[in-house]
Amino acid sequence: MKKTSYFSDIDDRNENGFSVIADFEGNEEQLMDIEVNEIVPVLPLRNMVLFPGVFMPVSVGRKSSLKLVREAEKKGLYIAVAYQKISETEDPMFEDLHTIGTIAKIVRVLEMPDQTTTVILQGSKRIELKDIAATTPYLKGRVTTLNEDIPSKDDKEFQTLVEACKDLAVRYIKSSDMFPQDSSFAIKNINNPMFLVDFICTNLPLKKDEKIELLRIDALRARTYRLLEILNREVQLAEIKESIQMRAREDIDQQQREYFLQQQIKAIQDELGGGGQEQEIEEMRRKAEIIKWNDEVKVTFLKEVDKLERMHPQSPDYSVQLNYLQTMLSLPWGVYSTDNLNLNNAEKTLNKDHYGLEKVKERILEHLAVLKLKGDMKSPIICLYGPPGVGKTSLGRSIAAALKRKYIRMSLGGVHDEAEIRGHRKTYIGAMPGRIIKSLIKAGSSNPVFILDEIDKVSADRQGDPSSALLEVLDPEQNTTFHDNFLDVDYDLSKVMFIATANNLNTIPAPLLDRMELIEVSGYITEEKIEIARRHLVPKELEANGMKKNDVKIPKNTLEVIIEDYTRESGVRELEKKIGKILRKVALQYAKDGYLLRREIKPDNLHELLGAPEYTRDKYQGNGYAGVVTGLAWTAVGGEILFVETSLSRGKGGRLTLTGNLGDVMKESAMLALEYIKAHASLLGLDEEIFDNWNIHVHVPEGAIPKDGPSAGITMATSLASALTQRKVKANLAMTGEITLRGKVLPVGGIKEKILAAKRAGITEIILSEENRKNIDEMQDIYLKGLTFHYVKDVKEVFAIALTDEKVADAIDLSVKKEKTEKKEA
């Protein structure tokens, strides 16, 4: 074999490094045919593995190892090189060593300048360590040699395999900075396949466990295949690392290059007297030529551009001026989206997204019809008011979809700064336009549907009154020339369809309220809530909880129980939450078990899914007692029935007591009713002296709930009349209406909600003011089915209808006995 040089600098107490120069000549037969005694000295190495045929320097530090090396060199003995399992072990025994090792010959012992000893070993043959025969003065072990299965020289596949290993090793050395420059040259000059494979196994910085694994393999072909796999991995990792480092260097180089180029451009621009500033200004002038703005705005813009041109780019005002001009260019001057004037399509879109809300839909369709006939008109300014959760905000999105316009929503809740609406003057640092102008820039159109959400929540403080700033925005006569402080020019808002939403009109200033067209979005009745849930809420929540349309069904009777027993609201927001809660519990069970336990949610399942019912509806309690009358009330969460109870007790002076957390108006209604009965006692056949000998107590149950309003007037009058006459009130009868001192019955509001509350409670007859007849006529027949209405103008008519001639079983004797006593004067 030709003479070969290669390197290694691996220290047996250090994991890092490569080879040292050594000379080798000979062939594998000479190495494999050596004779080894059964018991040989054992040199344990910490972090290195020696393969047959390879030279390797080892730095020896242990005293026992030094004795072994010197004696073996002196006597020319072969030694067994074993490998520690844990490198930190100082005095290894048999269990601390790998059983596979290598027989080696000590080529030379070098005393280094730093007082350390380096031994150059040449591996000869693989051996198996059977046990340790002696531990003093150094380790001696019983070993057996292992045979090598070497392929023949004519094996082309093996030759190709070896060449692939050689190429990968060279690639790895070149891509790594851990090796000397001539390392790859050494590998290229090794022609013996066995020595090449073992040389690579020894000198490449592979993991020690992988080297032990390679040494254990008897067949050279199998060892070469395993080495090829490891080399492939290491080459890929090395190339990835090199690629990352290269990209990092390229990024730094690119940044430096750009910096120098920018400095050169700046120097050239300074020499020519211009640069990017002039190009930007010219581009602004070109854009100004194609924008559709009036002469006044165009003159103002060009004047401001000239001002920017005279400014130095480093001036603080330059960025302010540039921002102002860019804002003007960004506005959609004269840009309008084309309305979809197909009324059938608009009606279909509105009906698809929202159930009910007929008045709002009718108003939108009216606007479209006029727009279709006239071709150009000012958009209406609508205010939708009603309780939370009835769909006021989402209705705006549907209107935008029906018209095919852009949609903008601006929440006014908590806004207290006038600049939020009108913007700041551009002379201030950090000035910006108001939210109206910014929203139009975002929409890119001058005729969007603009939702002003929660307009009743606007508040005023020392920074101004935003509601006053909205007067100009929401006035069709003024918003053609809306003036934003930042723009300082007029902008036309007349084509914008403003839709404001509010919960309470009382907090909106009267001038602002006067500018809007008010449309009430009242609360939904139970039947409407069921339809909304079936059409919209259930599909929406199914999708939100990762289920398909037909996975779970919630029938109408179940929805009705949820609405009646688990929610108390005018809208459907709480209903949506309850449906979501049910479906989440179903999803939890499905995720755990892998199947749906319930395909249909029945009313009986609600206690398990939602817990005990949270609310109970009042039911009609009969007419077994005198003085108990059923009234109808309107609340923010819909209609309710209430009971007015009157009791009498003996007492001088006829005191009237009112309880039940009543408001001032309701207390006045009770006093009015009593005064009317006192004035018209003969109509009821009452002795006028009853009022002097009996105290009257009027109570409205559920005292924790505040109650107020005049609509219980005729209910209280009937309750007093029933108690004082001890006559029964007609069964299944309820009433609502205001009373005057003359006995007139006045109309009240909330009729729709009150009628539905009466139906739920099992009422069959209702007494109303004659003027409320129009409210009943507007309602659909389905809501009136099973009810009889009595329309009255006077309290006398109420008494005639409500009071029967039948006395209660335990009627109180209210007769007053007159005892005449003659007094004689002394």
Side-chain angles (χ1 to χ4, degrees), residues 358-386:
E358 304 301 333
K359 288 185 180 179
V360 188
K361 296 175 183 176
E362 184 180 357
R363 180 65 186 88
I364 300 304
L365 293 174
E366 288 172 0
H367 170 69
L368 280 178
V370 176
L371 192 63
K372 187 173 183 178
L373 294 175
K374 189 179 178 183
D376 184 26
M377 65 174 292
K378 294 177 181 178
S379 290
I381 295 169
I382 298 170
C383 179
L384 306 176
Y385 70 94

Side-chain angles (χ1 to χ4, degrees), residues 551-606:
D551 281 352
V552 179
K553 291 184 179 179
I554 305 180
K556 286 186 177 182
N557 59 340
T558 305
L559 291 171
E560 183 176 359
V561 175
I562 297 172
I563 293 165
E564 295 288 345
D565 295 348
Y566 292 92
T567 66
R568 181 164 288 184
E569 57 176 349
S570 295
V572 291
R573 194 168 283 149
E574 187 66 24
L575 175 59
E576 183 178 2
K577 292 177 184 176
K578 297 298 182 186
I579 293 171
K581 184 176 180 180
I582 291 172
L583 295 179
R584 284 195 302 274
K585 288 188 178 293
V586 173
L588 175 62
Q589 178 268 323
Y590 179 70
K592 283 183 176 179
D593 303 333
Y595 64 92
L596 289 171
L597 183 63
R598 297 186 183 90
R599 291 280 181 178
E600 182 175 332
I601 306 299
K602 297 180 179 179
D604 296 340
N605 305 136
L606 293 179

Side-chain angles (χ1 to χ4, degrees), residues 619-626 628-631 641 643 718 722 727-735 758 761-767 786-790 798-806 808:
K619 299 296 180 184
Y620 177 68
Q621 298 178 358
N623 64 341
Y625 298 92
V628 179
V629 182
T630 305
I641 67 168
F643 302 99
T718 306
S722 173
R727 291 161 62 184
K728 284 186 176 183
V729 177
K730 193 173 183 179
N732 298 311
L733 174 75
M735 60 188 72
I763 301 296
T764 57
E765 296 184 56
I766 297 176
I767 299 176
L787 294 175
T788 302
F789 295 95
H790 303 280
V798 177
F799 292 162
I801 297 168
L803 297 177
T804 67
D805 294 332
E806 182 184 359
V808 296

Side-chain angles (χ1 to χ4, degrees), residues 3 19 182 207 242 420 432 462 466 501 569 630 668 721:
K3 190 173 181 178
S19 287
D182 54 353
K207 296 177 182 176
E242 185 182 20
E420 292 277 346
M432 61 180 69
R462 59 182 180 80
T501 70
E569 57 176 349
T630 305
E668 290 169 1

Side-chain angles (χ1 to χ4, degrees), residues 42-241:
V42 178
L43 177 66
L45 299 185
R46 296 175 187 269
N47 299 311
M48 297 182 301
V49 178
L50 175 66
F51 283 74
V54 181
F55 287 80
M56 186 173 72
V58 176
S59 179
V60 180
R62 293 189 183 101
K63 292 182 179 179
S64 59
S65 297
L66 287 171
K67 289 180 182 179
L68 183 153
V69 167
R70 292 192 175 103
E71 187 173 333
E73 183 193 27
K74 183 178 180 181
K75 296 180 180 180
L77 300 175
Y78 281 94
I79 65 172
V81 179
Y83 314 108
Q84 294 182 199
K85 295 177 181 178
I86 301 173
S87 59
E88 287 78 12
T89 305
E90 285 298 327
D91 298 311
M93 300 304 290
F94 178 78
E95 60 271 16
D96 300 320
L97 301 173
H98 288 282
T99 57
I100 194 75
T102 311
I103 283 292
K105 179 181 180 182
I106 297 177
V107 178
R108 187 177 302 171
V109 178
L110 302 174
E111 298 294 336
M112 307 305 291
D114 58 354
Q115 306 302 316
T116 61
T117 301
T118 297
V119 180
I120 297 177
L121 302 175
Q122 182 187 14
S124 296
K125 197 171 185 178
R126 296 182 312 116
I127 54 97
E128 183 179 0
L129 181 64
K130 294 295 184 179
D131 57 27
I132 297 297
T135 58
T136 56
Y138 46 78
L139 290 178
K140 293 181 182 180
R142 186 173 290 104
V143 300
T144 59
T145 57
L146 301 175
N147 295 322
E148 290 277 353
D149 182 5
I150 303 174
S152 66
K153 295 182 179 180
D154 299 331
D155 192 336
K156 300 297 183 183
E157 181 186 352
F158 179 67
Q159 295 296 330
T160 306
L161 191 61
V162 172
E163 288 298 322
C165 284
K166 181 187 289 189
D167 293 340
L168 283 174
V170 171
R171 280 177 58 189
Y172 179 70
I173 291 170
K174 287 183 177 179
S175 61
S176 175
D177 55 359
M178 296 173 60
F179 304 96
Q181 295 296 321
D182 54 353
S183 299
S184 59
F185 178 78
I187 289 177
K188 289 178 182 178
N189 284 284
I190 299 176
N191 296 319
N192 187 303
M194 174 184 170
F195 292 132
L196 176 63
V197 172
D198 290 342
F199 176 80
I200 294 172
C201 291
T202 301
N203 289 288
L204 260 61
L206 308 178
K207 296 177 182 176
K208 185 178 76 173
D209 292 341
E210 288 179 341
K211 289 187 176 184
I212 295 292
E213 177 191 353
L214 289 167
L215 188 62
R216 285 184 184 277
I217 300 173
D218 295 327
L220 185 59
R221 182 193 300 273
R223 188 186 304 164
T224 309
Y225 267 116
R226 178 61 183 138
L227 176 62
L228 187 64
E229 291 176 4
I230 296 173
L231 284 174
N232 264 313
R233 183 197 68 202
E234 295 298 324
V235 167
Q236 288 178 13
L237 291 174
E239 288 179 349
I240 290 171
K241 180 180 178 182

Side-chain angles (χ1 to χ4, degrees), residues 280-443:
E280 192 169 21
I281 290 171
E282 285 303 316
E283 186 178 354
M284 286 182 177
R285 288 198 172 102
R286 284 196 301 272
K287 287 183 179 179
E289 294 297 327
I290 60 175
I291 293 179
K292 300 174 183 177
W293 43 26
N294 58 43
D295 294 338
E296 180 186 353
V297 176
K298 187 172 184 179
V299 168
T300 302
F301 177 81
L302 293 176
K303 186 171 68 175
E304 295 296 330
V305 170
D306 293 340
K307 187 187 295 184
L308 178 71
E309 194 172 21
R310 293 191 296 270
M311 287 183 181
H312 193 277
Q314 302 301 323
S315 169
D317 294 332
Y318 182 85
S319 60
V320 175
Q321 188 72 4
L322 181 62
N323 182 34
Y324 169 73
L325 293 172
Q326 288 174 340
T327 301
M328 288 195 71
L329 289 172
S330 301
L331 273 168
W333 301 91
V335 178
Y336 302 100
S337 57
T338 304
D339 289 331
N340 181 7
L341 300 178
N342 186 331
L343 297 181
N344 292 329
N345 178 68
E347 186 174 11
K348 184 178 178 181
T349 303
L350 292 172
N351 288 332
K352 177 185 175 184
D353 293 344
H354 288 80
Y355 181 82
L357 307 178
E358 304 301 333
K359 288 185 180 179
V360 188
K361 296 175 183 176
E362 184 180 357
R363 180 65 186 88
I364 300 304
L365 293 174
E366 288 172 0
H367 170 69
L368 280 178
V370 176
L371 192 63
K372 187 173 183 178
L373 294 175
K374 189 179 178 183
D376 184 26
M377 65 174 292
K378 294 177 181 178
S379 290
I381 295 169
I382 298 170
C383 179
L384 306 176
Y385 70 94
V390 295
K392 300 185 295 295
T393 304
S394 63
L395 189 63
R397 191 183 298 276
S398 297
I399 292 171
L403 296 173
K404 295 292 176 67
R405 289 192 182 188
K406 299 287 186 180
Y407 170 78
I408 302 173
R409 189 187 74 86
M410 185 173 89
S411 177
L412 295 174
V415 172
H416 55 82
D417 187 357
E418 181 191 349
E420 292 277 346
I421 309 298
R422 287 189 176 277
H424 310 82
R425 296 197 177 277
K426 67 176 183 290
T427 52
Y428 294 115
I429 295 174
M432 61 180 69
R435 292 172 66 181
I436 302 287
I437 294 298
K438 285 196 289 187
S439 297
L440 290 174
I441 293 173
K442 183 179 179 181

